[in-house]
Amino acid sequence: MKIPTGLFVDGTWREATGGGRTPLVNPATEEVLAHVSAASVADVEAAVASAQAAWESGWRDLAPGRRAAVLYQVALSLRANVDELGRLEQSQVGKPIADARDEAGLAARVFEYYAGAISQFGGQTLPVGRGGFDFTLKQSMGVVAAIVPWNFPLPIAAWKAAPALAAGNAVVLKPASISPLTALRMAELATEAGLPPGVLQVLPGSGGVVGDALVTHPKVRKVSFTGSTEVGRHIMRLAAGNLTRVSLELGGKSPNIVFADADWEKAADSSPMSVFANTGQDCCARSRMFVERPVFERFVERFVAATRRLVVGDPSLESTQLGPMASAAQRDVVESFLADARSRGSTFACGGSRPGGRGFYLEPTVLLGVGSSDRCWREEIFGPVVAIVPFDDEAAMLREVNDSPYGLSGSIWTRDLSRALRVSRAVESGVLSINCHNSVHVEAPFGGFKTSGLGRDLGMAAMEGYTETKNVFVNA
Ligand code: NAD
């Protein structure tokens, strides 16, 4: 497996100006995996100039069918390389190999979807009633900066790049500093598959340097960010200078609501992975569980048993369900939450410790008796920790569900269709699942209410977000 270590600019590899490098650590072994070039402000200038030139000189004006054909080739190439992409992802963030391979397949599917979406996306004719003919054009914006996190490095890179490219923009993508490898390889594969040089660049490096330089660059017309709410706020403030368009996919504290009439056994068996998958480093993690009182004790017993059965270990093994946390720093953050829960007297039904040995592992942890003002209840933990509380009254439970600054995702378990619909209208969140935990569908809009974000990824909504609308009136 070749490890990419350069910047990918103008369809080729180059070293960072100034020679900066970032060490990457394999979180399962704690060994240094590679030293990857860290872009400087001068590299941002070069990448934006190259993207602007590639956009002006052809990509924006390419016939839609030709653009679609290129994106189909990118999808094919990603699909042909899911094993390699999966291994790169596993080694940089500790993701179990089976999941990493699936996510590479998802990235391919995203390119495939947007290749098809190109022919379905366009403006409207409008009945303006002034003796003429009125129509709208959906036009590309120019250079789009995509800034992505480390928890799903490849899928999120794809679900920013693919719709932006499909809409005719050029993209400069900044991966998280600890997880640049799969985005770099994706850009190389895309170029080999026929994407013109300069249309997609990848600049590894620090958020404060590369991210800020991209967000404030006058030629960057749109910033598409996924990451923490705190950095999202910072980006929105920076973008205000040039009134650069932003879309923000941010943190979450999603509820998982189980009514007593539900198939609660199925809910108990499947819910551990709704919060512990990706070792809890998931913006959609259902980290607040509300279980109706009549089934609470039986539910918790079954949930804990299912949690204990999860296979935690070496992410290179096919059987592993939970790998290590992606970094020592993130494990420290999660342990500070656990210390807080201990100091407040919460009950640890299971987990709470490091299993020992090498790697940034942390046991999946189930907390009971967490208070509604405790940090573990209110803040995004971004690790393998869930708090489960009982409820008696639907309306009071919904007030508690919505008493959160976040509103990204969530699940509702009930056999009563009216209740499912009533509760899904009431929950303040951008994405919900009924009797399951699936939040992400390539064809459907994904994003949050409140401080979970602004704008939507995926589906046609994402294409919309990478265009400007122009209205044209023809005097007849
Ligand atoms: P982060 O906010 O620390 O970093 C995200 C990206 O922003 C990285 O590329 C980082 O280098 C960059 N960045 C950091 N500081 C910056 C700055 N000052 N200026 C510009 N860019 C900067 O987030 P993370 O730790 O990588 O990811 C975890 C967070 O992402 C969690 O809060 C999670 O909920 C959120 N997330 C949200 C979604 C979603 O779709 N809503 C999906 C995945 C992750």
Side-chain angles (χ1 to χ4, degrees):
M1 180 175 69
K2 192 173 131 248
I3 297 187
T5 57
L7 316 178
F8 195 79
V9 178
D10 213 16
T12 186
W13 296 105
R14 61 170 73 164
E15 292 296 307
T17 315
R21 289 192 164 264
T22 311
L24 298 190
V25 175
N26 180 328
T29 61
E30 303 186 32
E31 282 161 9
V32 174
L33 180 67
H35 289 84
V36 175
S37 294
S40 64
V41 173
D43 297 315
V44 172
E45 282 297 334
V48 172
S50 160
Q52 178 76 20
W55 176 66
E56 282 175 5
S57 71
W59 185 248
R60 69 175 173 191
D61 299 318
L62 201 63
R66 299 263 307 280
R67 215 185 301 136
V70 173
L71 295 192
Y72 272 126
Q73 290 304 317
V74 175
L76 285 175
S77 174
L78 294 177
R79 189 157 285 130
N81 288 280
V82 290
D83 284 331
E84 181 201 342
L85 290 163
R87 276 183 286 123
L88 281 174
E89 200 81 294
Q90 175 237 303
S91 60
Q92 67 180 352
V93 292
K95 202 178 282 280
I97 186 65
D99 294 346
R101 228 188 281 112
D102 283 355
E103 289 175 20
L106 171 64
R109 169 77 191 115
V110 170
F111 273 90
E112 199 174 69
Y113 171 79
Y114 284 106
I118 290 173
S119 64
Q120 301 299 313
F121 184 73
Q124 293 174 296
T125 59
L126 295 161
V128 297
R130 289 203 175 190
F133 178 75
D134 192 280
F135 65 96
T136 61
L137 292 171
K138 293 286 179 186
Q139 295 194 312
S140 61
M141 305 170 113
V143 180
V144 168
I147 302 177
V148 301
W150 47 259
N151 61 333
F152 294 103
L154 180 59
I156 295 178
W159 80 45
K160 306 256 182 237
L165 296 172
N169 303 284
V171 174
V172 182
L173 188 139
K174 194 204 91 61
S177 49
I178 67 165
S179 59
L181 302 181
T182 42
L184 286 166
R185 182 69 177 126
M186 174 182 88
E188 184 181 38
L189 288 168
T191 304
E192 287 166 6
L195 199 67
V199 171
L200 173 61
Q201 348 259 348
V202 178
L203 295 183
S206 90
V209 176
V210 183
D212 286 7
L214 282 171
V215 177
T216 52
H217 199 294
K219 288 285 183 203
V220 169
R221 292 291 152 77
K222 158 101 190 212
V223 176
S224 179
F225 172 79
T226 296
S228 59
T229 294
E230 189 190 340
V231 175
R233 275 197 189 96
H234 166 75
I235 283 179
M236 200 163 169
R237 281 191 204 104
L238 284 186
N242 294 323
L243 279 177
T244 305
R245 280 78 173 123
V246 289
S247 59
L248 305 169
E249 298 289 349
L250 309 175
K253 191 74 190 172
S254 297
N256 189 356
I257 303 164
V258 182
F259 286 95
D261 73 352
D263 183 347
W264 64 268
E265 290 163 320
K266 186 173 168 196
D269 291 343
S270 68
S271 289
M273 281 305 264
S274 80
V275 57
F276 300 136
N278 211 34
T279 317
Q281 303 161 119
D282 181 349
C283 53
C284 292
R286 274 72 165 163
S287 52
R288 292 186 297 156
M289 285 217 61
F290 299 80
V291 181
E292 207 170 8
R293 183 93 57 190
V295 295
F296 180 76
E297 282 183 16
R298 285 173 291 162
F299 180 93
V300 169
E301 192 181 325
R302 196 164 171 127
F303 182 101
V304 170
T307 300
R308 290 190 200 280
R309 284 195 300 275
L310 294 175
V311 182
V312 184
D314 179 352
S316 69
L317 300 177
E318 295 289 340
S319 55
T320 295
Q321 290 173 284
L322 305 188
M325 307 219 52
S327 67
Q330 188 58 25
R331 182 171 64 178
D332 290 346
V333 168
V334 177
E335 286 181 333
S336 80
F337 279 95
L338 297 181
D340 189 72
R342 270 190 200 98
S343 75
R344 288 168 187 270
S346 297
T347 302
F348 284 62
C350 66
S353 308
R354 300 180 180 190
R358 288 183 82 74
F360 309 133
Y361 288 92
L362 192 59
E363 293 166 350
T365 303
V366 180
L367 299 178
L368 305 174
V370 173
S372 57
S373 58
D374 292 1
R375 278 187 70 206
C376 282
W377 188 252
R378 298 211 62 82
E379 296 176 29
E380 182 181 48
I381 300 176
F382 222 56
V385 182
V386 69
I388 313 183
V389 300
F391 73 90
D392 298 294
D393 172 66
E394 181 181 307
M397 175 273 293
L398 282 170
R399 275 195 298 279
E400 181 67 32
V401 163
N402 289 335
D403 182 22
S404 166
Y406 295 110
L408 186 57
S409 186
S411 294
I412 300 160
W413 292 81
T414 177
R415 286 192 171 97
D416 178 339
L417 183 59
S418 305
R419 172 183 275 151
L421 297 177
R422 184 173 68 235
V423 173
S424 39
R425 285 177 82 96
V427 174
E428 293 170 352
S429 93
V431 181
L432 281 174
S433 346
I434 295 172
N435 295 330
C436 66
H437 303 296
N438 311 4
S439 297
V440 172
H441 311 272
V442 175
E443 304 79 1
F446 177 84
F449 283 21
K450 303 190 276 187
T451 67
S452 286
L454 195 68
R456 292 293 179 270
D457 275 336
L458 298 174
M460 286 298 189
M463 290 265 301
E464 189 76 40
Y466 293 112
T467 53
E468 292 285 6
T469 302
K470 180 179 287 173
N471 190 64
V472 183
F473 176 72
V474 185
N475 185 354

